[in-house]
Amino acid sequence: MTAAPAFHHLPVLGPRSVDLLDPRDGGLYVDGTVGGGGHTRLILERCDDCRVLAVDRDPEALEAAARNLEAFAPRVRFLSMRFDGVTDDPEVRDRGIEGALLDLGVSSHQIDVDARGFTFREGAPLDMRMTPEGETAADFLNDRSLDELQDVFRRYGEERRARALAREVVRRREERPFATSDDLVAAVMRVLGPRTEHQDKARIFQAVRIAINGELEALERALPALRDALTAGGVLVVIAYHSLEDRIVKHAFREWSRACICPPELPVCACRGVALGTVLTRKPERPSADEVESNPRARSALLRAWRKAA
Ligand SMILES: C[S@@+](CC[C@H](N)C(=O)[O-])C[C@H]1O[C@@H](n2cnc3c(N)ncnc32)[C@H](O)[C@@H]1O
């Protein structure tokens, strides 16, 4: 049997996110993105008698987290699923949760292991799946229509030359199917020019990753479900890594915190008429320069938190 892969992940904005969650004895907390277990460990260290439901859609992450959190075993239950499914768990349905954390995106492990295909390092396979099944990045580029490719490059990659890039992908795949990161890098460079920046390649790779993993749909479904599962005074903390994710979180938290959500033309309020809770972070919080220096992957992190009304 091959040894399980090493899994290093410094929890981004770790102490701050756990301060906001404020775990209490007897509480049940959801870590929807357990990864290597960094945030879960901090939660469990904060109280002797709280428990965590540790969720990840990546079985390699769960394996690593189980190893890293062995000392806390009786207080952690691992769930291999997408985080938007955790509110169907019978325990969550029956008793609710005191807090939930989503530390979105990919883990250091997923990026560091070339075989997972999240990287544009030379020769890496075009995979990018967070789960072992489903459409790979190569399938996506080889099979989707011109319009679908354009839509993903434009919406998720915010790429101005989305149509030209989609056309280039279609032209290239007719000669030879996309198989490695080099194939996508070559298409991007052909359209954006030889001086294409590292960030431009990262943007396009990220767009494909978001599409094949249904990342934004999962977030949109999970937020209201987790909000409803929170007990009174419970806290939801989300760490996003790009503006598309952060926008979804910002709008959700704002809307839940308004007493009236009626259209402005209605003369009398006909909606719920009370705020469901309060935003705890007026602006997204970012890691300090020191944290970014010791963990460069934290640099784009944007943390927002919301508390359900007591
Ligand atoms: C940034 S890492 C989390 C790292 C973790 N907080 C730690 O301290 O080790 C994100 C993790 O979330 C998982 N993930 C991303 N989207 C998910 C989803 N919709 N459902 C479940 N897990 C997801 C990824 O597989 C990855 O392991």
Side-chain angles (χ1 to χ4, degrees):
M1 205 173 86
T2 52
F7 218 103
H8 303 289
H9 193 95
L10 292 171
V12 172
L13 288 159
R16 178 61 179 150
S17 31
V18 180
D19 283 350
L20 286 159
L21 278 177
D22 193 17
R24 305 284 167 91
D25 277 339
L28 178 64
Y29 297 86
V30 164
D31 181 348
T33 50
V34 68
H39 285 96
T40 288
R41 167 183 288 276
L42 293 180
I43 297 172
L44 292 164
E45 281 172 352
R46 247 347 137 81
C47 45
D48 296 329
D49 186 31
C50 59
R51 287 182 305 121
V52 174
L53 287 184
V55 180
D56 208 292
R57 66 196 296 190
D58 180 350
E60 279 183 15
L62 282 174
E63 226 180 274
R67 237 181 7 256
N68 294 344
L69 296 167
E70 219 173 340
F72 300 93
R75 295 199 284 135
V76 198
R77 182 152 66 82
F78 293 98
L79 294 171
S80 180
M81 57 160 64
R82 263 172 47 159
F83 53 57
D84 48 317
V86 67
T87 49
D88 293 331
D89 179 81
E91 189 180 13
V92 176
R93 269 209 314 264
D94 289 352
R95 71 170 298 295
I97 51 175
E98 277 65 36
L101 169 78
L102 300 178
D103 175 23
L104 300 169
V106 281
S107 65
S108 312
H109 169 79
Q110 287 165 335
I111 294 173
D112 291 344
V113 175
D114 280 9
R116 297 296 303 267
F118 285 96
T119 170
F120 49 85
R121 278 190 292 279
E122 255 172 64
L126 276 171
D127 190 323
M128 304 197 206
R129 290 170 303 171
M130 290 187 189
T131 40
E133 59 284 328
E135 183 186 36
T136 65
D139 296 336
F140 172 86
L141 293 163
N142 289 325
D143 301 340
R144 296 293 192 104
S145 71
L146 179 70
D147 287 346
E148 284 173 310
L149 295 171
Q150 176 188 354
D151 187 51
V152 164
F153 296 146
R154 188 182 51 75
R155 277 200 299 147
Y156 300 157
E158 302 181 282
E159 174 49 57
R160 283 186 305 112
R161 309 218 49 219
R163 185 74 180 173
L165 181 57
R167 277 214 196 93
E168 182 64 17
V169 169
V170 170
R171 187 185 71 74
R172 282 175 179 255
R173 77 189 185 193
E174 278 161 10
E175 286 165 15
R176 192 165 59 92
F178 279 71
T180 70
S181 56
D182 309 343
D183 300 330
L184 182 54
V185 167
V188 172
M189 290 187 65
R190 172 79 199 202
V191 174
L192 303 191
R195 291 218 220 109
T196 304
E197 307 265 352
H198 180 87
Q199 297 96 295
D200 295 317
K201 294 181 211 160
R203 221 167 15 86
I204 303 301
F205 271 67
Q206 180 174 272
V208 175
R209 191 200 88 204
I210 291 173
I212 66 162
N213 290 296
E215 292 181 29
L216 301 184
E217 294 86 341
L219 179 62
E220 267 164 351
R221 264 198 299 270
L223 290 177
L226 288 168
R227 174 200 69 200
D228 292 346
L230 286 175
T231 54
V235 173
L236 177 52
V237 176
V238 184
I239 306 174
Y241 291 86
H242 56 78
S243 57
L244 298 172
E245 284 171 349
D246 184 56
R247 212 172 296 153
I248 292 172
V249 181
K250 176 172 83 178
H251 287 148
F253 285 5
R254 269 204 196 146
E255 181 178 310
W256 306 347
S257 307
R258 285 181 15 214
C260 175
I261 51 167
C262 292
E265 58 276 12
L266 264 198
V268 184
C269 172
C271 68
R272 61 182 183 237
V274 288
L276 301 175
T278 322
V279 173
L280 300 179
T281 45
R282 281 199 329 120
K283 288 192 171 158
E285 296 189 9
R286 293 166 182 276
S288 66
D290 282 353
E291 179 172 355
V292 173
E293 198 184 334
S294 57
N295 182 13
R297 283 182 184 145
R299 70 184 171 275
S300 48
L302 299 161
L303 178 150
R304 294 184 188 267
W306 182 84
R307 177 183 287 125
K308 190 162 178 167

